[in-house]
Structures are given as structure tokens and as C-alpha cells.
Amino acid sequence: LMLDVREDSEFSDGHIPNSRHIPLGQLKQRMSELEKYKGKTVVAVCRSGSRSGRACGVLRKAGFEHVFNLAGGISAWDQAGFPKEK
């Protein structure tokens, strides 16, 4: 699961295809939406990697074991030339 924790406006400007969007400020309240991914790999994404790093901490505290932060965030994704959708 690619979990995009950016704000709504950032997400609508372009995001990783098939990523799930839950802004960091809503993550704790919306954790139940992610329960089915608890035993799977979750990669958190933001603009640069800072907010997604905090999201990883929240997910680990909630019992998610396979959580990773996308180094460099969506900016690094863009620089690598990977696809995005709107």
C-alpha cells in the first residue's frame, strides 16, 4: 500500500497511481480504514519525507510491522521520472 499523507490540495495536484490518501492530521482518526493492511507492506509518502516519517511512527504504534518511509517523498518520485496521476 502506498499511503499518501499530504493535504488534499497536494494530493489533487498529482499522486502515485493507486495510492491511498489520508492526510497526516486525520491518520489516527481514520486508522480503521487501514486495518486490512496491517500484515502487509505500507509505504508512507509526503512531499519530502518529513510528514510521512511521522506517519510511519503512528502506524508502528498502531501495530503495523512493515512500514517504510519513501525517502525524498513525491519530490524524489518526480525526479526519478516515475508516473503520477491526478
Side-chain angles (χ1 to χ4, degrees), residues 16-75:
I16 295 171
N18 301 313
S19 58
R20 181 77 183 255
H21 178 233
I22 300 179
L24 179 60
Q26 299 174 19
L27 186 57
K28 287 182 184 176
Q29 301 91 294
R30 295 176 60 186
M31 193 66 69
S32 63
E33 296 174 36
L34 302 174
E35 281 298 314
K36 65 181 177 183
Y37 300 104
K38 219 169 201 175
K40 299 184 177 167
T41 299
V42 177
V43 179
V45 182
C46 69
R47 183 178 48 80
S48 65
S50 178
R51 286 175 283 177
S52 53
R54 291 196 302 271
C56 287
V58 170
L59 291 166
R60 285 188 191 106
K61 282 183 183 176
F64 288 77
E65 296 177 16
H66 308 287
V67 179
F68 301 92
N69 185 6
L70 181 66
I74 198 79
S75 298

